[in-house]
């Protein structure tokens, strides 16, 4: 896995069109997350919930728990039997011991490592026949491990010491994981090539290693998107792509400031992205090499994403917030009406620094929660100063929506979410989770209020997207399409 920008040639025929499936793959290894184990089938990763995430579907029975380890849950006896034969039997006693352990470390890493060891002890280094379409000969051993970067990490050494006794139970002969070096090799291959498995209704529920799709490079301006149907990973084109080599997906959410995106990519994947949103020479707070700064970028660059609103009451034009000397006044004049916005630019720069730092602290867990009152004051300061399409303004409004929702203040939260829709729609592709989740929240709010016309309008937008990703045959599309049909019937009967 890596990150880079591709060159587009309009004369080349597309190998993939909008909505085409690029990969459909089963995982080589996968596991639920520790916190979501009671919510998803340990075998097929199906969840019994509907789109409001609180109602269990009537046609999906509750999950049954493994009687021995009391950790794994299954949707059916068939899934439980298949999983016992395939992988759960050798790890069950270990999970049973861990359930009684007082160790506070997350089990997420161990859950994957145990399954990697089970695979390797069976000498299964590649996908089974039919596991991936198109088929791939890529193996676990061919994946980059970044051992040199990880071997000195205190966190990795701590994990090894904590999990060594449990790994030894599974690998008694030490043929797979006999020491720290081999542990780092196993851990590194998954750490830098694994995917978070997300359920549309329940959110992130697991992690998996998909051998063929792991070769796809990253871009913060992706041309393809990955999604999951249970444990099956599907990669679809969201615009025309000339070849497989030019397919790009986003490894994480693109609805984050550049500093947060780059930090996450460097921490987990050991590279710096050079896409148009990361290598823009006009960036606020540039920290790129000369080579990266000379890269030609898409006109929709980061400077435009941080746009300031012109102070003229009759204009309101978006003025890119460039990092230029204060004496360079050409940046202060509105390109549409010619008004001097020097003071507003200075105020916007100061506010932008404040908002970026807040997002960075939030991502680093240095500041788990900003007080709602502080967020509302920042939103009041930003309103009218930052352009309504400003990327940072959208992030602030989203955070404010989440904070107010957590406090049960649904009406105020909804008002901020509606305002956030504009910057989200401008800067995030329509199949990104930030966009579809916002629409989903708006739909359920309108339906709770009995506002069928408004709900129908939002449902129409969402259903059009779901028809492409994940597709008309998905449970997600069927549920929201059904809601749309119900709304239209209600409107006719009014």
């Amino acid at each position: 896995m890596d990150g880079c920008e591709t060159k587009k040639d309009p004369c080349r025929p597309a190998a993939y069109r909008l909505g085409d499936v690029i990969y459909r793959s089963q995982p080589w290894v996968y596991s639920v997350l520790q916190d979501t184990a009671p919510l998803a089938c340990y075998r097929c990763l199906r969840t019994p919930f509907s789109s409001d995430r609180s109602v269990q579907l009537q046609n999906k029975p509750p999950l049954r728990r493994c009687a021995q380890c009391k950790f794994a849950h299954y949707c059916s006896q068939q899934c439980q039997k298949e999983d016992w034969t395939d992988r759960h039997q050798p790890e069950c006693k270990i999970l049973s011991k861990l359930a009684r352990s007082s160790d506070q470390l997350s089990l997420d890493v161990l859950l994957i490592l145990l399954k990697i060891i089970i695979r390797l002890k069976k000498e299964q280094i590649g996908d089974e026949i039919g596991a991936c379409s198109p088929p791939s000969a890529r193996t676990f051993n061919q994946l980059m491990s970044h051992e040199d970067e990880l071997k000195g990490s205190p966190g990795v050494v701590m994990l090894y010491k904590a999990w060594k006794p449990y790994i030894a139970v599974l690998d008694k002969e030490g043929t797979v994981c006999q020491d720290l070096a081999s542990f780092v090799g196993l851990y590194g291959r998954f750490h830098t090539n694994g995917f978070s498995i997300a359920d549309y209704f329940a959110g992130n529920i697991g992690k998996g290693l998909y051998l063929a799709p792991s070769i796809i490079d990253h871009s913060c301006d992706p041309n393809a998107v990955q999604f999951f149907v249970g444990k099956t990973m599907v990669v679809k084109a969201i615009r025309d792509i000339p070849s497989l080599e030019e397919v790009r997906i986003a490894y994480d959410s693109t609805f984050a400031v550049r500093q947060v995106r780059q930090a996450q990519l460097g921490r987990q994947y050991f590279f710096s992205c050079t896409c148009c949103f990361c290598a823009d020479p006009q960036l606020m707070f540039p920290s790129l090499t000369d080579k990266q700064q000379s890269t030609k970028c898409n006109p929709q660059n980061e400077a435009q994403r941080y746009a300031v609103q012109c102070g003229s009451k009759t204009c309101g034009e978006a003025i890119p917030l460039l990092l230029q000397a204060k004496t360079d006044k050409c940046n202060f004049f509105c390109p549409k009406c010619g008004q001097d916005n020097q003071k507003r630019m200075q105020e916007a720069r100061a506010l932008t620094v404040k908002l970026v730092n807040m997002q960075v602290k939030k991502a680093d867990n240095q500041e788990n929660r900003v007080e709602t009152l502080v967020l509302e004051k920042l939103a009041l300061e930003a309103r009218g100063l930052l352009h309504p399409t400003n990327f940072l303004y959208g992030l602030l409004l989203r955070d404010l929506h989440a904070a107010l929702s957590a406090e049960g203040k649904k009406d105020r939260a909804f008002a901020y979410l509606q305002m956030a829709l504009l910057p989200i729609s401008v800067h995030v592709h329509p199949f990104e989770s930030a966009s579809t989740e916002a629409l989903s929240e708006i739909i359920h709010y309108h339906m709770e209020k009995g506002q069928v016309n408004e709900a129908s309008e939002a449902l129409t937008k969402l259903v059009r997207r779901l028809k492409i990703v994940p597709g008309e045959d998905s449970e997600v599309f069927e549920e929201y399409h059904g809601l749309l049909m119900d709304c239209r019937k209600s409107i006719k009967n009014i």
Side-chain angles (χ1 to χ4, degrees):
M1 299 176 94
D2 203 348
C4 59
E5 180 71 355
T6 60
K7 295 181 180 179
K8 300 173 184 177
D9 182 353
C11 297
R12 292 172 60 190
Y16 305 100
R17 301 283 186 184
L18 173 66
D20 284 354
V21 173
I22 300 168
Y23 277 114
R24 189 181 301 274
S25 176
Q26 297 299 315
W28 184 72
V29 294
Y30 67 100
S31 179
V32 296
L33 300 175
Q34 180 180 358
D35 293 341
T36 59
L39 305 177
C41 176
Y42 200 70
R43 178 65 179 177
C44 69
L45 298 189
R46 297 281 186 170
T47 60
F49 299 102
S50 66
S51 60
D52 65 7
R53 295 177 174 82
S54 62
V55 178
Q56 184 165 308
L57 296 177
Q58 293 181 354
N59 63 339
K60 292 186 178 181
L63 302 177
R64 49 195 294 167
R65 188 172 66 172
C66 173
Q68 184 168 323
C69 70
K70 296 180 173 58
F71 179 82
H73 291 69
Y74 297 95
C75 66
S76 66
Q77 188 174 8
Q78 180 182 351
C79 273
Q80 188 167 6
K81 284 183 177 180
E82 287 178 0
D83 204 50
W84 181 260
T85 303
D86 182 37
R87 59 181 195 157
H88 188 54
Q89 184 177 9
E91 68 169 7
C92 188
K93 288 184 179 180
I94 298 173
L95 295 180
S96 180
K97 289 181 180 179
L98 285 167
R100 300 191 297 270
S101 171
S102 59
D103 202 320
Q104 298 300 309
L105 283 175
S106 169
L107 298 183
D108 294 343
V109 173
L110 183 62
L111 288 168
I112 285 291
L113 284 173
L114 292 177
K115 291 162 183 63
I116 290 175
I117 293 170
I118 291 169
R119 275 281 205 176
L120 295 179
K121 285 182 73 68
K122 294 179 180 180
E123 298 184 349
Q124 298 173 344
I125 62 171
D127 282 332
E128 297 175 359
I129 296 174
C132 183
S133 176
S136 169
R138 191 168 166 87
T139 70
F140 177 72
N141 295 334
Q142 292 173 326
L143 304 180
M144 292 184 68
S145 64
H146 290 281
E147 294 176 49
D148 290 340
E149 293 91 339
L150 290 168
K151 63 184 179 184
S153 167
V156 175
V157 174
M158 180 181 67
L159 286 174
Y160 173 67
K161 290 179 178 178
W163 301 141
K164 183 179 177 181
Y166 301 104
I167 291 172
V169 172
L170 198 61
D171 186 27
K172 295 177 181 177
E173 303 83 5
T175 56
V176 176
C177 188
Q178 64 272 24
D179 53 22
L180 176 60
S182 56
F183 174 86
V184 172
L186 300 178
Y187 171 82
R189 285 179 176 85
F190 178 78
H191 178 76
T192 54
N193 294 278
F195 288 90
S196 291
I197 300 174
D199 177 86
Y200 193 93
F201 298 140
N204 286 340
I205 57 172
K207 289 184 177 294
L209 186 56
Y210 297 79
L211 296 178
S214 69
I215 201 170
I216 302 175
D217 286 338
H218 163 87
S219 175
C220 300
D221 183 26
N223 53 25
V225 65
Q226 68 274 27
F227 62 92
F228 298 86
V229 181
K231 62 180 179 176
T232 303
M233 178 180 180
V234 182
V235 180
K236 274 191 175 184
I238 57 174
R239 57 176 179 257
D240 292 356
I241 308 173
S243 67
L244 180 61
E245 291 72 25
E246 293 168 270
V247 174
R248 298 290 182 269
I249 59 174
Y251 291 174
D252 210 335
S253 174
T254 60
F255 195 47
V257 295
R258 182 182 63 88
Q259 291 82 348
V260 170
R261 299 195 310 269
Q262 290 282 29
Q264 171 63 16
L265 293 171
R267 186 166 49 245
Q268 184 163 355
Y269 305 105
F270 303 100
F271 70 84
S272 294
C273 181
T274 58
C275 76
C276 62
F277 296 124
C278 294
D280 183 355
Q282 300 281 23
L283 282 172
M284 291 288 295
F285 329 115
S287 58
L288 301 173
T289 65
D290 291 340
K291 182 179 179 181
Q292 288 174 315
Q293 292 218 17
S294 66
T295 304
K296 291 183 179 179
C297 300
N298 188 308
Q300 187 186 10
N301 55 34
E302 201 84 331
Q304 289 174 311
R305 283 150 69 98
Y306 288 168
V308 180
Q309 185 168 334
C310 176
S312 172
K313 293 181 180 179
T314 59
C315 180
E317 179 75 1
I319 308 171
L321 184 62
L322 306 180
L323 189 69
Q324 296 184 357
K326 293 182 180 180
T327 55
D328 188 355
K329 294 187 177 182
C330 68
N331 182 39
F332 301 139
F333 289 95
C334 175
K336 183 178 180 181
C337 72
Q339 175 162 315
D340 186 351
N341 286 273
Q342 180 173 356
K343 184 179 179 182
R344 293 175 64 80
M345 280 290 183
Q346 292 168 349
E347 292 173 353
R349 284 197 182 103
L351 179 58
T352 296
V353 170
K354 191 184 300 184
L355 293 176
V356 168
N357 288 339
M358 186 177 73
Q359 291 294 326
V360 171
K361 286 181 180 179
K362 175 186 170 187
D364 290 343
N365 292 320
Q366 295 175 9
E367 194 170 316
N368 292 325
R369 182 177 179 274
V370 180
E371 293 294 329
T372 305
L373 183 60
V374 174
L375 292 173
E376 288 194 294
K377 285 183 177 179
L378 288 170
L380 187 61
E381 184 180 351
R383 190 177 303 164
L385 176 62
L386 304 183
H387 195 267
T389 62
N390 186 292
F391 186 78
L392 269 174
Y393 187 44
L395 286 170
L396 174 60
L397 294 171
R398 180 203 60 180
D399 291 346
L400 195 43
H401 163 259
L404 289 167
S405 295
E407 295 174 4
K409 300 172 182 176
K410 292 185 177 181
D411 293 341
R412 285 168 62 195
F414 174 74
Y416 286 112
L417 182 60
Q418 276 196 311
M419 288 190 286
L421 265 186
L422 178 58
I424 289 174
S425 65
V426 170
H427 300 295
V428 176
H429 69 74
F431 307 105
E432 156 82 62
S433 60
S435 180
T436 55
E437 286 175 6
L439 274 177
S440 179
E441 293 266 8
I442 285 171
I443 288 164
H444 286 289
Y445 176 86
H446 284 311
M447 294 191 73
E448 284 180 11
K449 296 289 185 179
Q451 299 165 345
V452 289
N453 285 294
E454 293 84 351
S456 178
E457 183 180 347
L459 276 164
T460 300
K461 294 178 182 177
L462 183 58
V463 167
R464 284 173 184 164
R465 300 177 190 184
L466 297 178
K467 187 175 182 178
I468 300 170
V469 176
E472 292 182 82
D473 58 346
S474 67
E475 292 181 355
V476 176
F477 176 84
E478 290 177 1
E479 176 166 343
Y480 280 104
H481 185 262
L483 289 175
L484 177 58
M485 294 300 102
D486 291 342
C487 281
R488 288 177 176 174
K489 287 179 183 177
S490 299
I491 292 169
K492 285 182 179 179
N493 293 331
I494 293 176

